[in-house]
Amino acid sequence: MEYDVGFVGLGYVGLSTAVCFSNRRMKVLGIEIDTNKISQIRKAKTPIHEKDMSELLKKAIDKNNLVVSSDYNELQKTRIIFLTVGTPSNKNGSIDVRYIRQATKEIAKIIKSIDEYFLIVVKSTVVPGTSNNIIKKDLEKYSNKKLGKHFGIIANPEFLQEGKAIHDTFYPDRLVIGADSKNELTMIKNLYKKFYRQLPPVIETSLVNAELIKYSNNSFLATKISFMNYIARIAEEIPGADVNDIKNALGLDKRISDSFLNAGLGFGGSCFPKDVRALIAFSESVRVESDILKSVMRINNTQFLQIISLLRNKLGTINNKKISILGLSFKPNTDDIREATSIKIIEKLLKHGARVTVYDPIAIPNIKQIFGTSIKYTKNARSCLKSSECCLLVTEWEEFKKLNNDDITKLMKNPLIIDGRRLFSKNHFKKPVEYYAIGLG
Ligand code: NAD
């Protein structure tokens, strides 16, 4: 077979996984409908910002281990196809399976055209039942072939984090493999053995369980974040209280663990908000109340207002005042601004007449597409602070840690910092700098 494996959809998940596979003894095919992306990738230029991606992509393209195309017919040259297209939210929170169905229909035509067994691996995040009720049905309908006899389906959800996508693909905590038959399990495990040599822990389960595991995982992490933001709100009302001390104590309790306990401005990005909304919609479709996740979303949707009210308490009116924003991406080490808190904050500030100046190490081109000329963009943190009356720290990029008292007092008109991500320790700045933060009473 010309390719060990094919990927349909070369976004954060598809491209990262394809690049990792093609750097570990495999011939990989990538199919993508966005022809701009295809021509970029062919030139070994990464369309996304991910650590180590540029070097690995270049190696893969130079050695011809990764071939990309927008022609689905190329899939005739592989028998294992990963589905890695997006699954965005519908208005009511349920997942939009449009891209899944478009891709599935094209894959079905390939299955129809060749008399051999294909394995379809669903890596996209889909609600329980999607593999069986939508993907299987469409594959059978458009190929005129049968699940089990001519093709198999695996649910293999992805847990990588943007900014660490390459690392997480090479060193996952575990693989979740959902299959309804042994033959499919053996095929996918053989592929992963070739990739990892020594397999990470594998959870072998059913299709529906694998699908539900992904939503449970993300919803649980989102719940931890909203819980800590709730505690942060309480701490802000108590003079002398500090959510960070509470986080440190909770984090040492092994039953809780210290990850995802940082209070801040809430979660954003392309996964947590959409996955929590999807689980709420799904649970209601099976008549299970989802009060817990509705509260998680309510806290998250209003958390950015904490920084706005801190700002207004300190400055009074913000009309015509220059406000600097440090950090725009939804988290550090990525240029992804999907559902980023910075967007909600900028919109609110503009609504109140503030003059907004922003800086981010890599996300400015993406933010420009939303705000155009209505805000000012700067080339570094220091120029962002010039003549400003307040600095809001919105994304915790490491480089911001270098800012010191001198920078703030010399550059800003009014030396006021509001730290939305607890990047600085509370003693980092001294008078005359005024420092306020989420979760600090
Ligand atoms: P993305 O939007 O970055 O990429 C999806 C890609 O698929 C795009 O490049 C799009 O052009 C392409 N595409 C759409 N329809 C296509 C079709 N019919 N044929 C070929 N290509 C097509 O999405 P992503 O962030 O990579 O997420 C993909 C899936 O993985 C989603 O279900 C998401 O929830 C899940 N996931 C994402 C992450 C993450 O951190 N981004 C982590 C874990 C799981």
Side-chain angles (χ1 to χ4, degrees):
M1 194 51 48
E2 191 164 335
Y3 300 108
D4 294 291
V5 57
F7 287 85
V8 176
L10 297 177
Y12 283 85
V13 168
L15 185 61
S16 304
T17 320
V19 162
C20 289
F21 272 60
S22 48
N23 274 275
R24 286 243 179 115
R25 308 170 287 280
M26 303 229 201
K27 288 272 180 200
V28 178
L29 169 69
I31 299 291
E32 166 61 55
I33 42 167
D34 180 340
T35 48
N36 284 335
K37 257 187 204 178
I38 290 290
S39 42
Q40 254 185 292
I41 297 170
R42 279 191 181 141
K43 288 183 217 143
K45 287 203 172 120
T46 171
I48 53 171
H49 179 93
E50 272 299 332
K51 189 171 182 295
D52 301 329
M53 173 67 95
S54 294
E55 304 85 85
L56 290 181
L57 177 61
K58 188 165 178 340
K59 271 192 205 161
I61 297 285
D62 287 353
K63 290 189 180 157
N64 213 25
N65 286 343
L66 174 64
V67 173
V68 295
S69 172
S70 43
D71 180 3
Y72 269 91
N73 288 320
E74 286 295 301
L75 286 173
Q76 291 174 342
K77 300 173 187 164
T78 185
R79 294 294 172 268
I80 303 184
I81 301 171
F82 279 69
L83 203 47
T84 46
V85 297
T87 45
S89 291
N90 284 317
K91 274 212 171 89
N92 67 357
S94 63
I95 57 164
D96 176 352
V97 286
R98 187 182 351 164
Y99 304 115
I100 293 275
R101 296 194 73 172
Q102 284 165 358
T104 302
K105 190 172 176 185
E106 296 301 325
I107 293 168
K109 290 184 199 161
I110 302 297
I111 297 176
K112 184 176 189 173
S113 68
I114 293 179
D115 240 353
E116 283 190 41
Y117 192 85
F118 282 82
L119 186 66
I120 311 305
V121 185
V122 184
K123 215 172 222 328
S124 301
T125 303
V126 293
V127 296
T130 309
S131 296
N132 250 326
N133 299 334
I134 296 177
I135 298 173
K136 174 196 147 197
K137 280 193 183 146
D138 279 357
L139 285 173
E140 288 190 335
K141 178 173 163 195
Y142 296 111
S143 69
N144 272 329
K145 297 207 170 165
K146 281 271 160 239
L147 175 77
K149 191 159 177 230
H150 304 105
F151 67 88
I153 300 180
I154 292 278
N156 175 215
E158 180 53 60
F159 299 92
L160 64 78
Q161 301 175 67
E162 285 180 24
K164 290 176 65 195
I166 300 287
H167 171 274
D168 289 354
T169 306
F170 282 135
Y171 309 102
D173 291 342
R174 77 306 204 194
L175 298 176
V176 173
I177 301 182
D180 287 343
S181 99
K182 274 263 170 276
N183 180 28
E184 294 150 5
L185 255 178
T186 310
M187 268 180 94
I188 189 79
K189 277 173 76 177
N190 285 342
L191 180 81
Y192 276 128
K193 272 182 199 154
K194 195 168 170 191
F195 179 58
Y196 289 111
R197 288 212 166 118
Q198 178 90 40
L199 277 180
V202 177
I203 304 292
E204 290 177 19
T205 183
S206 64
L207 283 174
V208 284
N209 281 340
E211 292 165 331
L212 187 53
I213 286 168
K214 173 66 193 175
Y215 283 99
S216 312
N217 204 92
N218 274 4
S219 298
F220 188 75
L221 294 175
T223 303
K224 279 181 99 174
I225 294 171
S226 275
F227 178 80
M228 287 313 288
N229 284 335
Y230 157 69
I231 300 295
R233 290 181 189 188
I234 296 174
E236 282 163 30
E237 300 304 320
I238 310 171
D242 183 353
V243 74
N244 272 2
D245 286 6
I246 295 150
K247 173 194 86 174
N248 292 339
L250 262 58
L252 286 175
D253 186 325
K254 291 190 183 66
R255 296 167 302 177
I256 296 176
S257 106
D258 61 357
S259 62
F260 289 80
L261 285 186
N262 287 333
L265 295 171
F267 52 82
S270 68
C271 290
F272 281 11
K274 125 179 131 63
D275 291 351
V276 176
R277 286 194 294 261
L279 188 53
I280 292 172
F282 179 78
S283 93
E284 289 184 348
S285 77
V286 291
R287 293 170 305 282
V288 174
E289 256 304 333
S290 45
D291 295 3
I292 182 168
L293 292 185
K294 283 183 183 162
S295 301
V296 167
M297 284 312 285
R298 227 181 352 259
I299 290 174
N300 200 58
N301 291 339
T302 50
Q303 184 63 12
F304 80 103
L305 295 171
Q306 298 296 112
I307 204 171
I308 302 284
S309 74
L310 270 169
L311 170 69
R312 297 182 78 177
N313 281 346
K314 300 300 152 201
L315 280 192
T317 172
I318 54 175
N319 186 35
N320 212 24
K321 292 196 172 145
K322 178 172 171 182
I323 311 293
S324 318
I325 294 193
L326 292 182
L328 300 166
S329 52
F330 86 92
K331 67 174 185 178
N333 306 318
T334 177
D335 60 349
D336 197 345
I337 56 156
R338 290 179 284 185
E339 302 216 27
T341 312
S342 63
I343 299 171
K344 292 193 268 188
I345 292 175
I346 295 171
E347 281 169 351
K348 195 86 180 165
L349 294 178
L350 290 177
K351 198 168 157 225
H352 289 287
R355 291 180 290 124
V356 179
T357 301
V358 302
Y359 170 68
D360 185 282
I362 53 176
I364 285 182
N366 289 338
I367 277 285
K368 257 189 192 164
Q369 290 181 18
I370 301 180
F371 291 103
T373 53
S374 58
I375 60 175
K376 286 220 164 81
Y377 307 92
T378 56
K379 290 204 160 63
N380 54 53
R382 287 186 172 77
S383 49
C384 184
L385 295 180
K386 261 187 203 155
S387 320
S388 166
E389 297 195 42
C390 178
C391 165
L392 303 182
L393 192 131
V394 175
T395 313
E396 65 276 34
W397 285 93
E398 270 300 303
E399 66 170 73
F400 299 153
K401 274 194 177 159
K402 290 186 205 137
L403 289 170
N404 58 34
N405 246 57
D406 266 6
D407 297 321
I408 308 299
T409 43
K410 280 185 190 150
L411 293 165
M412 293 180 71
K413 182 171 170 191
N414 178 36
L416 170 64
I417 305 260
I418 306 182
D419 185 348
R421 298 290 182 184
R422 301 303 302 263
L423 180 71
F424 298 105
S425 81
K426 60 186 172 200
N427 304 319
H428 183 83
F429 296 107
K430 313 246 170 325
K431 278 196 168 145
V433 176
E434 277 190 277
Y435 174 80
Y436 298 92
I438 291 290
L440 196 55

